[in-house]
Amino acid sequence: MTGSTIIFYLLAALTLVSGIISVSTRQIFRAAISLLFSLIGIAGLYFWLNYQFIAAVQIVVYVGGIVVLIIFSIFLTQQAGEKLSKQKVSRKIFSVLAVFCGFALSVVQIYQHVFYVTPEQAVDVNVLNIGKKMLSANEEGYALPFEIVSMLLLAALIGCIVIAMREKPTPTTEVIPDELKEETE
Amino acid sequence: MEPGLYHILFISAALFFIGVYGFFTRRNLITMLMSIELILNSVNLNFIAFNKYLWPNKMDGLFFTIFIIAIAAAEAAVAIAIIINLYRSHKSIDVENAEELKY
């Protein structure tokens, strides 16, 4: 057991245990905090795999952005101290059964499959190579998906504003006839 | 035993099915969104592991992960806008209370 192996198992345990707490606790705020630790564990796994850029993006976008957004929406929509409603036992049992069957099936498939490793020389995944490849417009580059994702982000931004905008109370344009007006007064 | 590709694929499968379990059992829209985030993260972990162990001469898995993270951020923002709008009209964000889509 080297130090690297121990760190790997610690990160895996952190990710899975906080993931399980996040889907099973009945207090929604506790679920959000467990999700935070699960995402931090995944970022640690990216660091362990030597993909520092992805780990940094994971921490910035997920931990710093999405979890904070979820916590704010919990504050906006939940009453303090209120627990989530209890689920039916039959639904829980059938969910556990379905999930366990799917998990067993995929794990058996994974361990039976033999993966082939490419014999070519490994490329260094530093920020310089990532940036060059992302912004190059030749057939190996990713300039087109980059532009499409930026359009998608713009559309999502405008869509969020439009959806969450409070509608103004529309001024009543209908003309009230005189006799009705006297009645209402 | 030195951890390798199979270990990471095991973690990723476990995380995916934890997310699926949460999606089955939860009835609150925010917690369902959290389960979806877990599922997306397990997919990202898969892409990175394949890129690292099987095709280290390319960077395709890494770029897929970057784009999935960007799209997941947009998706979470739109979903939370919808949830807040739903809460304003229904005073509740359970899926049982959100049967009709319009109004």
Side-chain angles (χ1 to χ4, degrees), chain A residues 25 39 113 118 123 142 163, chain B residues 6 26 37 41 54 56 60 85:
Chain A
T25 180
L39 296 177
H113 192 269
T118 178
V123 66
Y142 283 87
I163 291 172
Chain B
Y6 287 98
R26 295 289 198 182
E37 299 297 336
N41 269 288
L54 299 188
D60 293 347
N85 202 353

Side-chain angles (χ1 to χ4, degrees), chain A residues 42 45-55 58 125 130, chain B residues 5 8-9 12 41-56 58-66 68-69:
Chain A
I42 291 176
L45 281 177
Y46 292 153
F47 272 122
W48 187 84
L49 286 167
N50 272 326
Y51 279 70
Q52 283 93 1
F53 180 70
I54 294 292
Q58 168 90 4
V125 279
I130 293 172
Chain B
L5 175 64
I8 293 182
L9 290 185
S12 161
N41 269 288
S42 76
V43 175
N44 283 345
L45 197 57
N46 252 353
F47 271 119
I48 289 292
F50 284 136
N51 193 0
K52 163 101 184 172
Y53 288 106
L54 299 188
W55 285 277
K58 292 192 171 118
M59 288 199 283
D60 293 347
L62 188 141
F63 280 103
F64 268 94
T65 302
I66 291 177
I68 289 173
I69 288 176

Side-chain angles (χ1 to χ4, degrees), chain A residues 117-128:
Chain A
V117 183
T118 178
E120 306 221 359
Q121 183 67 34
V123 66
D124 190 18
V125 279
N126 51 15
V127 182
L128 180 69

Side-chain angles (χ1 to χ4, degrees), chain A residues 23-150:
Chain A
V23 298
S24 61
T25 180
R26 281 184 60 206
Q27 289 178 351
I28 188 167
F29 195 73
R30 200 169 283 175
I33 298 299
S34 311
L35 178 73
L36 180 84
F37 281 109
S38 185
L39 296 177
I40 289 176
I42 291 176
L45 281 177
Y46 292 153
F47 272 122
W48 187 84
L49 286 167
N50 272 326
Y51 279 70
Q52 283 93 1
F53 180 70
I54 294 292
V57 168
Q58 168 90 4
I59 288 180
V60 169
V61 175
Y62 271 107
V63 180
I66 292 180
V67 172
V68 172
L69 200 66
I70 286 175
I71 288 175
F72 266 109
S73 66
I74 288 172
F75 283 149
L76 282 175
T77 56
Q78 299 285 315
Q79 313 300 326
E82 189 180 297
K83 285 189 174 179
L84 295 173
S85 58
K86 232 175 205 162
Q87 294 305 319
K88 276 184 285 186
V89 182
S90 64
R91 179 185 281 158
K92 272 190 184 173
I93 289 173
F94 281 116
S95 308
V96 168
L97 268 181
V99 163
F100 184 75
C101 291
F103 180 63
L105 194 68
S106 23
V107 167
V108 167
Q109 287 292 323
I110 287 170
Y111 280 96
Q112 278 180 353
H113 192 269
V114 179
F115 294 102
Y116 295 102
V117 183
T118 178
E120 306 221 359
Q121 183 67 34
V123 66
D124 190 18
V125 279
N126 51 15
V127 182
L128 180 69
N129 285 342
I130 293 172
K132 270 184 184 165
K133 191 139 190 198
M134 180 180 266
L135 294 179
S136 72
N138 56 20
E139 61 208 28
E140 290 275 302
Y142 283 87
L144 182 64
F146 181 77
E147 293 297 327
I148 292 174
V149 164
S150 55

